[in-house]
Amino acid sequence: MLLDGRSAVIYGAGGSIGGAVARAFAREGARVFLAGRTRSTLDQLAERIRSTGGAAETAEVDALDESSVDEHADAVAERAGGIDISFNLISHGDVQGTPMTEMSVDDYTRPVVNAVRTSFLTSRAAARHMKRQGSGVILVFGGEGDPVRDYYIGGVQVAFGAVEFMRRQLSAELGRHGIRVVTLRTGGVPESIPESMHGREAITAGIESQTMLGRAATLEDVGNVAAFVASDQARTMTGATVNVSAGALVD
């Protein structure tokens, strides 16, 4: 198994993408520590993982709060003997579908502030433990992309751009300690769009039409690629982005 014996912290594990990554990590042998704000959702995911032979533990963690993140990371490191993988997949509170000229400043800047804050806190907490063991992988989700014509994405791409610069800096600073930092980029994952969301079918069709393969990435695809990148099979990859967009994003 790709991640046999590894410990992985997944923030926002209660979400669709976080859950898919957690299941993939556990399937590949990792002991997953599921962090989020809704304990019941995390517990359901943990039971699903355990029912298939995986190892999972849950904790309520506010990934925007410094003490909450640090205390949880310390507890995980003590229980597991270290932290091998950290992946932040929390939502950033973005507002989409509203033109910038009609947005409030708070709605526009919220995802930028939240993305930078939570990425810094969780990466720092993991890196402090990874440096002691001389190894580790910090994964980032998002990546930069071109503006989308006729769709209003608010501060989303600004947030992703800021986190990408953080990822580059972390890669440069942490490489000497054996720590890799890699971003997974998608062109959108239709399965992650809530069923109740207005215009879901049109958004899905739009995502798929932009791909070279004529189909978008699935949640399982994202989990599989994340597991590979977090494994020693990808040990030469850092300071890099991994394209999981089915050709919607061209490198």
Side-chain angles (χ1 to χ4, degrees):
M1 293 185 284
L2 289 174
L3 304 176
D4 190 28
R6 305 295 171 84
S7 58
V9 181
I10 302 165
Y11 300 93
S16 57
I17 295 176
V21 168
R23 292 191 297 273
F25 282 4
R27 185 192 67 232
E28 294 297 338
R31 179 181 179 184
V32 294
F33 292 85
L34 313 176
R37 292 178 297 179
T38 308
R39 187 62 172 265
S40 59
T41 304
L42 298 174
D43 287 341
Q44 289 175 12
L45 175 60
E47 282 303 314
R48 181 176 177 182
I49 289 172
R50 294 181 192 122
S51 70
T52 58
E57 299 183 31
T58 64
E60 288 186 32
V61 178
D62 180 353
L64 291 167
D65 181 79
E66 183 174 11
S67 60
S68 182
V69 169
D70 287 344
E71 288 171 9
H72 177 254
D74 291 345
V76 169
E78 183 176 358
R79 287 179 61 80
I83 296 175
D84 299 304
I85 305 162
S86 177
F87 202 173
N88 188 326
L89 292 157
I90 77 163
S91 60
H92 298 149
D94 53 277
V95 174
Q96 300 188 37
T98 302
M100 287 174 63
T101 54
E102 299 174 17
M103 293 186 76
S104 70
V105 65
D106 288 340
D107 282 347
Y108 187 81
T109 59
R110 185 184 306 110
V112 182
V113 174
N114 285 351
V116 170
R117 182 179 181 84
T118 190
S119 297
F120 175 80
L121 289 176
T122 58
S123 296
R124 185 185 67 176
R128 286 173 171 172
H129 293 284
M130 292 174 177
K131 285 172 68 174
R132 297 189 187 104
Q133 64 198 37
S135 65
V137 181
I138 297 173
L139 298 179
V140 179
F141 185 79
E144 300 168 279
D146 294 327
V148 181
R149 182 178 174 84
D150 297 326
Y151 185 72
Y152 307 109
I153 58 174
V156 170
Q157 287 292 4
V158 179
F160 284 162
V163 173
E164 277 299 271
F165 275 95
M166 185 184 299
R167 188 264 302 164
R168 295 186 180 100
Q169 184 175 354
L170 282 169
S171 300
E173 293 187 11
L174 299 177
R176 71 188 64 186
H177 301 288
I179 303 169
R180 300 190 291 111
V181 191
V182 181
T183 296
L184 271 65
R185 302 168 70 216
T186 77
V189 183
E191 286 179 296
S192 69
I193 303 172
E195 294 284 349
S196 60
M197 184 173 180
H198 177 70
R200 184 180 189 275
E201 291 184 2
I203 295 172
T204 297
I207 292 172
E208 292 174 345
S209 69
Q210 296 298 314
T211 69
M212 292 181 180
L213 297 177
R215 55 179 171 78
T218 65
L219 290 172
E220 185 177 4
D221 290 331
V222 175
N224 289 340
V225 173
F228 168 76
V229 175
S231 77
D232 286 343
Q233 295 292 316
R235 69 190 186 92
T236 58
M237 298 174 63
T238 193
T241 62
V242 176
N243 191 328
V244 199
S245 73
L249 304 175
V250 181
D251 295 326

